[in-house]
Amino acid sequence: MRVFFNAIIIQIFFSAYIYWRGWQALPDKKYIKIPYTAIYVAELIIYFIGFFTSKHLSFDALHTFAWTGTTWMLFTIYMTSLLLLYDLVKYINKKKKIFSLDFAAKKPRLVYFCTALLLVVAVMWNGNYRFWHPVITEKSLTIEKHSPNVKNLRIVVATDIHAGYLIDKKIISMYVDKIMEQKPDLILLVGDIVDYDAKSLYEQQMETEFHRLKAPYGVYASTGNHEYIDLGEPKDEKILWLSQKAGINVLRDTTVMIADSFYLVGREDDLCKTRKQLPEIMQGVDRQYPVIVMNHEPHRLQEEVEAGADIALYGHTHNGQFFPNNVIMAVSSMIYNWGILPESISSKMKFMYEIPYGYKKKGDTHVYVSSGLGLAGPQYRIGTVSEIVVLNVNFSK
């Protein structure tokens, strides 16, 4: 709750700063400044109503308030950054006289404010388009192991769906359509399938969409950190909804052999207090057969490699979801991989990942970290993609 209050305070300051800079730049005309003020007042009212009365709103109202609030949050972050840049240049120019332009004058303020506004709107429009048009990332892998009854396997992987109030039934329906269009042999959902609570799932009868997921070798899932977010529901409510209502095989530190040909392992998320170590989970696994591991958070990749996994699948990072988080993740990954920080420190930093996004062959293990299909919060992909991963696997022995 403290995090949410901090976020609301930040938004108030950001909104006030943007409003004041716009007020300074706009012409002194009532027909301009009155609507301008009304927009900000209305947005703050919506933000506060959505925050403080969410438990009492209908689903449709909460969906609208959540979408508006998260969109405004992202808008204020980008707009504030650009306006602060202007103020920084103005300050430097005042000290050093680099430019002849008077940055304090009304005209350059207005031109810059309008340009920044158009730029942010254009970037966010493109980001929303990317969210609504997930990409299909295909990868062909060869596993040199014996698989008696399955020689070729088309695995469709989706992580971080975040079904709930923002990723509603309409969006889930689109996701299911796109997954099924790939003609999967096996469907794997690698954690954070549910967003925050199960209430939104029951209200929308979301299970009817998940029931449409079909594959010859089954539909399996592992848990993510959002499955363990506690909002006062009964223990494991979201996980039970997935298994009992949605009909998905949730593997919780469990191993199954499929078609007497390959093993599938589903690990519990790091937040699970009873999470087992991988060697314990795989005690009965015959490693002459292929082994696929689902593990939501891509920390300590060496665990899957040392356990003999042939394919290790992860999500969680969203690749930062929107700029500049993706750049920060890429830089932190370079720091991690270059060994600038001791392993004992870097391995404990939650925001540092050996692979924040994409494919890597690590030892004999094919590793893929997906940027995720859905989103947490704002429905925008800026500098990243929403993706469905298709693995075309060939077993060569």
Side-chain angles (χ1 to χ4, degrees), residues 155-363:
I155 307 173
V156 175
V157 183
T159 78
D160 301 276
I161 293 173
H162 288 278
Y165 288 106
L166 275 169
I167 308 294
D168 61 8
K169 190 174 183 178
K170 174 183 176 182
I171 298 172
I172 296 298
S173 180
M174 174 189 71
Y175 289 168
V176 172
D177 287 344
K178 288 186 177 295
I179 289 171
M180 295 309 298
E181 284 170 8
Q182 308 315 310
K183 297 179 170 48
D185 295 321
L186 176 68
I187 298 173
L188 303 180
L189 308 179
V190 190
D192 279 8
I193 305 160
V194 180
D195 198 13
Y196 282 101
D197 60 26
K199 181 183 175 184
S200 61
L201 308 176
Y202 288 108
E203 288 179 342
Q204 299 175 80
Q205 296 183 320
M206 192 83 81
E207 67 275 5
T208 59
E209 293 301 326
F210 282 96
H211 286 160
R212 295 199 295 119
L213 292 173
K214 307 285 185 184
Y217 298 116
V219 180
Y220 293 88
S222 61
T223 58
N225 56 298
H226 273 250
E227 272 77 51
Y228 282 100
I229 290 176
D230 185 4
L231 294 179
E233 296 178 321
K235 187 177 184 293
D236 293 346
E237 178 70 14
K238 294 185 285 291
I239 301 172
L240 292 174
W241 182 90
L242 287 168
S243 59
Q244 296 176 5
K245 293 287 287 185
I248 296 170
N249 295 303
V250 183
L251 301 182
R252 308 179 64 182
D253 283 345
T254 306
T255 301
V256 296
M257 191 173 198
I258 298 176
D260 294 325
S261 298
F262 62 92
Y263 289 97
L264 178 62
V265 181
R267 300 194 68 180
E268 286 276 30
D269 185 75
D270 284 356
L271 286 184
C272 177
K273 295 179 181 179
T274 59
R275 188 180 200 244
K276 298 177 183 177
Q277 295 299 311
L278 192 54
E280 181 183 357
I281 301 168
M282 293 177 58
Q283 277 183 350
V285 169
D286 184 348
R287 287 168 179 76
Q288 72 170 319
Y289 297 104
V291 179
I292 302 168
V293 177
M294 298 184 291
N295 184 11
H296 180 65
E297 300 188 35
H299 300 294
R300 306 175 301 278
L301 306 184
Q302 194 62 30
E303 291 181 2
E304 276 71 34
V305 176
E306 292 174 354
D310 298 289
I311 300 174
L313 303 171
Y314 310 85
H316 184 64
T317 69
H318 297 211
N319 193 25
Q321 193 160 313
F322 47 78
F323 176 86
N325 294 339
N326 57 324
V327 176
I328 294 170
M329 280 196 167
V331 172
S332 66
S333 176
M334 286 191 290
I335 293 172
Y336 185 103
N337 288 299
W338 288 346
I340 296 173
L341 295 176
E343 176 68 20
S344 59
I345 295 176
S346 59
S347 63
K348 293 179 181 179
M349 292 187 174
K350 292 292 186 180
F351 61 89
M352 295 190 76
Y353 301 95
E354 181 179 345
I355 309 172
Y357 168 61
Y359 170 82
K360 180 179 180 179
K361 183 75 178 295
K362 187 174 173 65

Side-chain angles (χ1 to χ4, degrees), residues 9-285:
I9 290 169
I10 290 170
Q11 286 307 305
I12 290 171
F13 278 107
F14 280 8
S15 296
Y17 173 70
I18 297 167
Y19 172 79
W20 180 241
R21 286 295 179 251
W23 182 272
Q24 291 176 320
L26 291 171
D28 294 322
K29 304 291 184 181
K30 287 184 177 180
Y31 64 84
I32 294 177
K33 288 197 170 179
I34 289 176
Y36 176 74
T37 301
I39 290 172
Y40 274 83
V41 171
E43 177 50 48
L44 284 176
I45 289 172
I46 290 171
Y47 201 91
F48 277 99
I49 289 175
F51 183 81
F52 289 108
T53 67
S54 60
K55 292 183 179 179
H56 308 289
L57 295 174
S58 67
F59 171 81
D60 290 336
L62 187 54
H63 173 78
T64 301
F65 278 113
W67 186 91
T68 305
T70 53
T71 294
W72 183 257
M73 178 188 72
L74 190 60
F75 170 80
T76 57
I77 290 171
Y78 282 135
M79 197 67 182
T80 297
S81 299
L82 290 177
L83 293 177
L84 283 173
L85 178 63
Y86 183 90
D87 283 346
L88 177 62
V89 173
K90 183 180 74 171
Y91 175 79
I92 294 172
N93 194 60
K94 184 178 179 180
K95 298 292 184 182
K96 302 292 185 180
K97 301 296 181 183
I98 300 172
F99 305 103
S100 59
L101 182 67
D102 181 6
F103 285 90
K106 205 170 187 69
K107 185 175 180 180
R109 281 182 181 275
L110 178 61
V111 171
Y112 187 85
F113 185 84
C114 292
T115 303
L117 180 62
L118 289 174
L119 177 61
V120 171
V121 169
V123 166
M124 289 182 66
W125 180 89
N126 180 261
N128 187 250
Y129 179 88
R130 282 171 173 262
F131 162 71
W132 280 100
H133 296 80
V135 302
I136 309 300
T137 303
E138 290 212 32
K139 190 78 180 173
S140 295
L141 307 176
T142 298
I143 307 298
E144 295 181 358
K145 281 190 176 180
H146 180 56
S147 177
N149 304 312
V150 180
K151 299 304 178 185
N152 298 285
L153 187 65
R154 187 169 172 84
I155 307 173
V156 175
V157 183
T159 78
D160 301 276
I161 293 173
H162 288 278
Y165 288 106
L166 275 169
I167 308 294
D168 61 8
K169 190 174 183 178
K170 174 183 176 182
I171 298 172
I172 296 298
S173 180
M174 174 189 71
Y175 289 168
V176 172
D177 287 344
K178 288 186 177 295
I179 289 171
M180 295 309 298
E181 284 170 8
Q182 308 315 310
K183 297 179 170 48
D185 295 321
L186 176 68
I187 298 173
L188 303 180
L189 308 179
V190 190
D192 279 8
I193 305 160
V194 180
D195 198 13
Y196 282 101
D197 60 26
K199 181 183 175 184
S200 61
L201 308 176
Y202 288 108
E203 288 179 342
Q204 299 175 80
Q205 296 183 320
M206 192 83 81
E207 67 275 5
T208 59
E209 293 301 326
F210 282 96
H211 286 160
R212 295 199 295 119
L213 292 173
K214 307 285 185 184
Y217 298 116
V219 180
Y220 293 88
S222 61
T223 58
N225 56 298
H226 273 250
E227 272 77 51
Y228 282 100
I229 290 176
D230 185 4
L231 294 179
E233 296 178 321
K235 187 177 184 293
D236 293 346
E237 178 70 14
K238 294 185 285 291
I239 301 172
L240 292 174
W241 182 90
L242 287 168
S243 59
Q244 296 176 5
K245 293 287 287 185
I248 296 170
N249 295 303
V250 183
L251 301 182
R252 308 179 64 182
D253 283 345
T254 306
T255 301
V256 296
M257 191 173 198
I258 298 176
D260 294 325
S261 298
F262 62 92
Y263 289 97
L264 178 62
V265 181
R267 300 194 68 180
E268 286 276 30
D269 185 75
D270 284 356
L271 286 184
C272 177
K273 295 179 181 179
T274 59
R275 188 180 200 244
K276 298 177 183 177
Q277 295 299 311
L278 192 54
E280 181 183 357
I281 301 168
M282 293 177 58
Q283 277 183 350
V285 169

